[in-house]
Amino acid sequence: MELQELDTYLRVMLNTFRVPSKKINMLKESAVVYLIDDFGIIICGIDRADYGQINSVVSEQFKNWRRVYITTQEDVSKKKYEVLWELMRGGYMKWLRTTYPHQIKNTLMGIDGLGTKILNERLRIWAEHPKYKYLIEDTKSVLQYGILREFSHDPGFFDYMPEEVG
């Protein structure tokens, strides 16, 4: 994939997520960069050869921002979930639920099965760590008894994505 194709994909992805973003110029020939100010995320589409250069510039200029790098060689359909998880860590699902209240249920229950993916990603992050036992069991029960049931009972249940456990 060429950098211009990656740029188009990133633009479409961000429009699909309905997040306000702005494209900035950084190393024009080798990177496309989008800022999502509301959630403190920078998304960098790069040519693999230029990773080191763009990473040092981004790390310096956007010190406390969440960063997602997507290269022209990667499967961008899988990377969209990495972007989504980072958005969620910044409050995206609560924003989506309050900004587009009539669409959140369809988003969670839709074709992509996003609700299930969110729960499975949480379980992957917690990885059977004893300190997350209650949260793991709670998440597994939602998988067993139904996402719609939990959403009706606690709409905010799907609002967060935990940080990666180190």
Side-chain angles (χ1 to χ4, degrees):
M1 167 186 327
E2 298 292 322
L3 196 58
Q4 188 173 2
E5 291 174 273
L6 181 57
D7 182 22
T8 301
Y9 175 81
L10 293 175
R11 207 169 339 109
V12 168
M13 178 181 62
L14 294 172
N15 286 337
T16 302
F17 289 153
R18 298 176 181 222
V19 292
S21 63
K22 63 183 171 189
K23 186 176 176 181
I24 61 169
N25 289 323
M26 249 184 183
L27 306 170
K28 285 184 190 180
E29 304 293 318
S30 58
V32 290
V33 179
Y34 287 90
L35 295 180
I36 308 169
D37 287 318
D38 292 345
F39 303 104
I41 298 172
I42 184 167
I43 300 173
C44 303
I46 57 174
D47 188 15
R48 191 65 161 161
D50 299 317
Y51 175 79
Q53 183 180 11
I54 192 73
N55 184 46
S56 73
V57 171
V58 168
S59 296
E60 183 179 308
Q61 290 184 13
F62 298 93
K63 200 173 222 152
N64 291 312
W65 288 61
R66 295 181 186 281
R67 298 182 290 271
V68 178
Y69 295 97
I70 303 174
T71 70
T72 54
Q73 290 83 28
E74 291 179 291
D75 181 353
V76 288
S77 63
K78 290 181 182 172
K79 292 294 279 191
K80 79 176 180 181
Y81 290 105
E82 184 178 333
V83 171
L84 180 59
W85 307 149
E86 292 299 334
L87 283 167
M88 286 180 69
R89 289 180 181 109
Y92 170 73
M93 289 301 280
K94 182 173 183 177
W95 172 84
L96 188 65
R97 184 168 51 83
T98 57
T99 307
Y100 301 100
H102 301 293
Q103 296 174 342
I104 189 69
K105 190 186 311 181
N106 291 336
T107 300
L108 291 171
M109 301 297 295
I111 306 169
D112 284 352
L114 182 59
T116 301
K117 286 182 176 159
I118 289 169
L119 299 176
N120 286 329
E121 180 65 7
R122 288 179 186 172
L123 292 173
R124 183 197 67 76
I125 290 169
W126 293 326
E128 302 298 328
H129 290 268
K131 61 186 173 183
Y132 300 114
K133 184 176 181 178
Y134 176 80
L135 296 171
I136 291 167
E137 294 306 316
D138 191 34
T139 301
K140 286 179 178 178
S141 74
V142 173
L143 281 169
Q144 182 178 0
Y145 295 113
I147 291 169
L148 193 54
R149 178 178 166 210
E150 185 64 28
F151 183 75
S152 298
H153 173 69
D154 179 11
F157 184 82
F158 296 92
D159 283 359
Y160 68 93
M161 180 59 65
E163 298 288 340
E164 290 284 343
V165 176

